[in-house]
Amino acid sequence: MLNKNLKMTGDVQDNNFFALGRQVTIEYYECGATAFLDADRVENALLKAAKDSNATIISSSFHQFEPQGVSGVVVIAESHFTIHAWPEHDYAAVDIFTCGDNINLEAAITSMKESFESKNVLISSDQNRGIISKPFAQQNIGQTLKHSNTHPISWKKDYEQKNPWGVLSSIDIYDSDPDIIRDADKIKQFVHELCDKIEMKRFGECQVVHFGEDERVEGFSMTQLIETSLISGHFANADNTVYLDVFSCKYYDPREVAEFAMSFFKGGHYKMQLALRQ
């Protein structure tokens, strides 16, 4: 639910203080399946939000990453709107910074919610920047960063800290090449190359079997035992989607697996979920 009571944070109530700017960070979850696949669409969404908020637009610059992802900035006279979007998680991180009181933040946030078709919006921070008064005592920067309450942004670091039994990644590759996913030998080739890439030792032969009398589920299913657990997948003919699972008690980089699978099966885009199994 969108918080409709956006307020300045911090203990800046004294009239002897004022702030040079206000910064709000917003998390957009459960967005539309195609909301972040096109940089132009994301750019238009931020430009619309800036316009709806009464900001004065100066310029914009957006970049489409390969195989997917979008980053961009809209420069406004009052400061900026920025975004980075992860299509594989239906998620975007947005930052609005303003040094003007005329910006309607609620209008901007709601505008992007509608453009991204987001079902879950969280205002993760709302803070004053550049508080002007008597000089503040300088904090110990190293200690402040070291002891701040943050989550790891590296999956490997998270894995090392939690020390789980194994890592499970579930990756869905959409709009894959129909000729590749209907070829058992190609699927076996993918498994062999993937195991080499993530340094997993195969145990036994890769099994690829055709299943499904029902057209909705028809396609090849694959299993490959590895010394550290299992790789499995189903290749759905109905919509040319690959459903891939990699489970291992040895660490591997899930994004490396997803991007290799995207490339091999010539997919349009992918979604990914990660679980650490305790």
Side-chain angles (χ1 to χ4, degrees), residues 22 67 77 86 147 150-151 187 221 245:
R22 182 180 182 186
W86 286 261
H147 297 293
T150 60
H151 298 287
I187 293 172
S221 286
D245 292 307

Side-chain angles (χ1 to χ4, degrees), residues 28 82 117 128 182 185 213 225 275:
Y28 289 93
T82 64
E117 302 171 20
N128 299 124
R182 289 168 175 78
D185 290 334
E213 296 180 1
L225 294 176

